[in-house]
Every structure is written in structure tokens, then in C-alpha cells.
Amino acid sequence: MREFDPSRLDVAAFAKDAGELSGDWPVAKLERLADSVAADWRPDRRPAVHWLARGEQRGVPAGQRQAWLHLHADVVVAMQCQRCLLPVEVALKARRSFLFVHGEASAAELDADSEHDVLALTRDLDLKQLVEDELLLNLPLVPRHATCPTPIEVKAAQIDPPDDAPHPFAGLAAWRKGRSQN
């Protein structure tokens, strides 16, 4: 069995050998993901991405062999709750299968018509970058606690404008009145 390098993965050979790679990468080593999440508020904890990649070669009726890569990745990161602004733990999971074909044009054409993700076959796929891309796609748009740990106080002054505040459209009304007289 060959050894495969996750930073320069030969996808065709990996699929042909039904290869399997796994490991852990610290979130700090995935710069784009690290920039997208809050700094961890627990210094005793260093979040790491647990990942597994498995290659597979499938036959198709035309007699050609297809190279597939199955990817699993999990991590729990800290993000800022958009309700209370306190840290919230968010579990990110990526479960994807990729079909690899020869050439960018073929990949783009098949990707548009396929329910699977289709990528161009390469001899030097950076698995770390692919894992990071998939985790970034799974970040919540609005991270928040199911129930915030501290209640959020909303004061009446924050909701209702003062009675003597000018109406925001008063200027528009005066302008329209002036135009209708001309």
C-alpha cells in the first residue's frame, strides 16, 4: 500500500488504491477558518478538526473508472452569539463526496448537471484546503445560543422614539408639498 501526502494528494492513485487518510489539524493552522470564528474563550482547549478521507474507484457502464473522494470532518468552534454577544460553541460537520474527472471544462459541465460535487482530477490536491472550504461552507450565518445564558434587557427608550423627535419623513412631506404648488 502506498503512502499518501494530504498536502499533495494524487486523487487517481488514492481512489485506485481505495486509500484512507485521517488526522487532526488545529483550527489555528486553518487560517481562513480561524479568522471566521471567535478566539476560543477557554485557554485549556485547543480546537482541532478531526477529518477522514477515503478514496474509491467506481466502474460506469461505458467501461471507464471514476475516481471518488469521500470526506468527513468535524470540529467544535467558538463563535459570537448574535443575540447576547457571548461566546457560543458551534459544531461544524462536513460530509461530502466528490467525483473527479479529467479537465476543468468537463468538471464544470458535469457539476452543473450532477447531484454530486464534481472537481477536476489532480495529482496534488491539498486536502487541508478542501476540508477548510467545506467547514467554511457549514458556518452558520447567524450563530446564537438556543437560550442565551444571560437575559437581554431592552429598555423602553430603546424601542420608542421620544415624542418630540422629528418624524423621519417630515422633510419628504414638505418637499412634496412644495412641488405640488408649482
Side-chain angles (χ1 to χ4, degrees), residues 26-93:
V27 170
K29 297 285 184 184
L30 304 170
E31 292 178 14
R32 294 176 297 144
L33 182 61
D35 288 345
S36 299
V37 299
D40 197 9
W41 68 96
R42 292 180 10 204
D44 61 318
R45 193 172 146 262
R46 303 266 187 269
V49 175
H50 308 289
W51 60 273
L52 167 72
R54 191 174 45 83
E56 176 186 15
Q57 200 170 47
R58 294 182 187 169
V60 292
Q64 297 177 348
R65 307 290 288 168
Q66 293 180 331
W68 285 83
L69 177 71
H70 306 286
L71 184 66
H72 294 247
D74 299 287
V75 66
V76 176
V77 294
M79 296 187 80
Q80 186 178 44
C81 175
Q82 296 302 300
R83 285 187 192 135
C84 67
L85 304 179
L86 293 174
V88 58
E89 286 189 349
V90 177
L92 301 177
K93 295 180 184 293

Side-chain angles (χ1 to χ4, degrees), residues 118-181:
V118 182
L119 299 174
L121 194 59
T122 180
R123 290 178 163 235
D124 61 348
L125 177 73
D126 185 349
L127 204 50
K128 188 188 294 186
Q129 184 176 358
L130 184 61
V131 166
E132 184 175 25
D133 289 345
E134 293 305 313
L135 291 172
L136 286 168
L137 288 171
N138 286 299
L139 284 173
L141 292 175
V142 182
R144 60 181 181 244
H145 294 101
T147 303
C148 292
T150 57
I152 302 167
E153 289 186 35
V154 179
K155 297 179 181 160
Q158 293 174 323
I159 298 172
D160 299 324
D163 292 333
D164 60 344
H167 190 275
F169 295 108
L172 180 60
W175 178 76
R176 286 189 66 207
K177 193 182 261 186
R179 286 190 44 100
S180 64
Q181 292 176 357

